[in-house]
Amino acid sequence: MKVLLIGSGGREHALAWALSASPLLTTLYCAPGNAGIAQVAECVPIAAMDFDRLVGFAKEKKIDFVVIAPDNPLVGGLWDRFEAEGIRASGPSGKGAILEGSKGFVKDLCREVGIPTAAYQRFRDAASAKAFADTLGLPVVIKADGLALGKGVIIAETKADAAKAIDFMFEGGFGESGSEVVVEEFMQGEEASFFALSDGETVLPLGGAQDHKRAFDGDKGPNTGGMGAYSPAPVLPPSLQQVAMDKFINPTVAAMAERGRSYQGVLYLGLMITKDGPKLVEYNCRFGDPECQVLMPRLKSDLLTTLIAMRDGQLHNLDLRWSDETALTVVMASKGYPGAYEKGTEIRNLDAAAAVEGVQIFHAGTERRDGRLLAVGGRVLNVTALGKDVAEAQARAYKAVDLINWPGGFCRRDIGWRALSR
Ligand code: AMP
Ligand code: GLY
């Protein structure tokens, strides 16, 4: 089969790596890809939002299956575009992707179905949003309804900051995404991610993972796209995973079907484990980044077969197999990330690092120029290791990190600390 993967980050490298092991695969293309993905796929310089050229390319190459990894094209309806041309693709559809595309939609769905989540209201004007925010305690959470490059959530510590955030959103700070705003109660607890695949009827759990969103050790510093992750995550023992399926995922998939939005795709549930039990923080319509980088090394079943079964409504025929080992990934980022950073710094000695036992390095923002490997993004590498437990996976990952010669980069030194301190 000829497969086209869409995206360019560490998540996509992990997917490309898993897809390339499939006995069904003849050729793997990736648009636009990166220097790491180029080791296992033919990269095509077409952006993930350039729907016309992506569809044109898929028709020209007679692509059999498309894997759409990032949120923006899914929410924008790229799945629908491919399927309209008779090209099978892993979804969800644009109608399904509203689970990530509208925070207000998800909150209403939770309320109607009885899924535990923070108290909230939706607003279309600043004055009423501020009035409601005033009735909640502090901190208070202000969210742009739509996609905002992962920046659309502001946790306001004071009433003045809450008002500022509300004004910023309604004044177009996040463009159209902020024309509606959700104001919600702050939830205290430990966060965890849970993943599942849905074909619209059958739902297969993929297990849990824990991300590290802050830039620096000890969960300090600004929020990032994620600085490291591990799976399985002790914060989500099997009993809580069952709760995630029974109280969150299954009711959501059923409610989506009832609303004419049959959900066929990856479902990423962001949970807050509060003292009153798990509550929904958000849904995403895709694999997490970097969570995907720790799920793929543990998946023993064929990813391509699995995604095709998800597309075709055949998940009831599958029984996924998983490694018992723990996977842990350390994100290496350009110094300055998530703020401004230098582009084009050179990375050396990756081969030695990749040779450490159990280690797999997934690239995020890299480019190869004149034989040199250059960092061209904020998050640049995912140094991933399997081990018998979090401690072993962590030791292996940092052993590899320490072999990488990249003066322009930095990473957190404490990925996995919550699991190790339990
Ligand atoms: P989201 O884009 O919805 O994932 O939100 C980004 C981050 O904001 C989450 O990962 C949480 O850390 C935090 N967050 C969002 N909503 C809440 C909430 N109601 N209470 C506490 N933290 C939240
Ligand atoms: N790791 C967070 C995300 O993918 O949204």
Side-chain angles (χ1 to χ4, degrees):
M1 291 183 83
K2 291 187 192 175
V3 175
L4 171 62
L5 169 66
I6 301 197
S8 62
R11 166 182 54 206
E12 287 75 9
H13 190 183
L15 292 172
W17 173 79
L19 290 168
S20 67
S22 174
L24 297 180
L25 187 81
T26 51
T27 314
L28 179 62
Y29 297 96
C30 184
N34 63 41
I37 294 173
Q39 295 162 7
V40 291
E42 194 175 311
C43 293
V44 196
I46 306 177
M49 290 307 285
D50 192 345
F51 291 6
D52 291 339
R53 288 183 61 214
L54 289 171
V55 171
F57 177 83
K59 283 165 77 174
E60 178 199 320
K61 294 289 183 189
K62 301 196 163 48
I63 296 292
D64 299 295
F65 193 69
V66 183
V67 179
I68 308 169
D71 46 357
N72 273 314
L74 287 165
V75 172
L78 182 55
W79 180 89
D80 309 75
R81 285 287 305 273
F82 281 119
E83 292 277 339
E85 298 285 348
I87 302 167
R88 287 193 296 172
S90 74
S93 65
K95 272 177 141 180
I98 194 171
L99 282 184
E100 178 158 7
S102 169
K103 296 190 192 299
F105 175 91
V106 172
K107 298 293 289 191
D108 285 354
L109 186 127
C110 287
R111 178 181 282 168
E112 287 156 28
V113 178
I115 293 174
T117 188
Y120 75 102
Q121 277 191 35
R122 304 171 72 169
F123 296 97
R124 291 201 161 269
D125 74 276
S128 7
K130 288 178 196 171
F132 178 68
D134 277 347
T135 68
L136 299 175
L138 288 170
V140 60
V141 185
I142 316 293
K143 298 184 171 182
D145 183 70
L147 293 183
L149 302 169
K151 298 188 172 71
V153 175
I154 296 176
I155 297 177
E157 302 286 345
T158 65
K159 289 195 168 172
D161 284 350
K164 222 166 88 186
I166 290 166
D167 284 334
F168 179 77
M169 289 182 193
F170 281 116
E171 282 160 12
F174 295 120
E176 264 303 294
S177 293
S179 59
E180 183 175 329
V181 165
V182 174
V183 176
E184 69 180 47
E185 163 199 51
F186 180 79
M187 294 181 285
Q188 194 84 48
E190 189 172 341
E191 279 187 82
S193 312
F194 182 79
F195 296 87
L197 297 180
S198 166
D199 68 7
E201 280 185 15
T202 302
V203 185
L204 292 184
L206 301 180
Q210 194 165 40
D211 189 6
H212 299 59
K213 300 237 182 197
R214 302 295 197 99
F216 308 131
D217 285 14
D219 291 334
K220 302 247 162 44
N223 255 319
T224 70
M227 295 300 291
Y230 53 93
S231 172
V235 63
L236 280 183
S239 58
L240 264 188
Q241 295 188 36
Q242 196 58 51
V243 172
M245 288 296 288
D246 295 344
K247 279 200 165 172
F248 294 82
I249 303 272
N250 285 328
T252 300
V253 169
M256 290 294 279
E258 278 166 23
R259 286 160 178 72
R261 295 178 179 273
S262 172
Y263 195 89
Q264 292 181 294
V266 179
L267 201 43
Y268 164 158
L269 167 65
L271 284 174
M272 189 71 80
I273 313 301
T274 73
K275 63 173 177 24
D276 305 321
K279 293 188 178 180
L280 177 137
V281 178
E282 61 168 347
Y283 269 128
N284 294 313
C285 62
R286 51 170 175 88
F287 282 111
D289 186 343
E291 290 98 326
C292 187
Q293 291 87 309
V294 290
L295 288 176
M296 289 306 120
R298 294 184 48 240
L299 177 64
K300 296 246 185 204
S301 301
D302 181 39
L303 177 66
L304 182 53
T305 308
T306 306
L307 294 179
I308 292 171
M310 177 176 86
R311 151 64 181 77
D312 288 348
Q314 295 294 322
L315 285 182
H316 58 275
N317 289 321
L318 285 194
D319 186 15
L320 296 181
R321 288 178 308 114
W322 295 90
S323 156
D324 290 335
E325 290 191 300
T326 292
L328 181 142
T329 189
V330 177
V331 171
M332 297 187 78
S334 295
K335 279 180 186 161
Y337 173 80
Y341 53 84
E342 192 183 337
K343 276 194 179 180
T345 57
E346 186 172 358
I347 303 164
R348 295 194 192 85
N349 219 28
L350 266 199
D351 289 346
V356 172
E357 187 178 0
V359 166
Q360 195 68 43
I361 299 178
F362 298 121
H363 294 218
T366 62
E367 211 175 277
R368 203 168 280 285
R369 238 179 270 156
D370 309 323
R372 299 190 313 152
L373 186 68
L374 305 179
V376 294
R379 291 189 294 174
V380 173
L381 296 171
N382 299 93
V383 182
T384 310
L386 281 169
K388 64 178 188 305
D389 51 23
V390 175
E392 187 177 69
Q394 186 197 54
R396 288 174 170 177
Y398 282 112
K399 185 173 172 194
V401 164
D402 290 335
L403 287 169
I404 296 174
N405 178 352
W406 179 30
F410 79 100
C411 67
R412 279 180 61 160
R413 300 294 313 189
D414 65 346
I415 301 304
W417 74 268
R418 283 182 192 275
L420 291 171
S421 66
R422 285 177 94 81

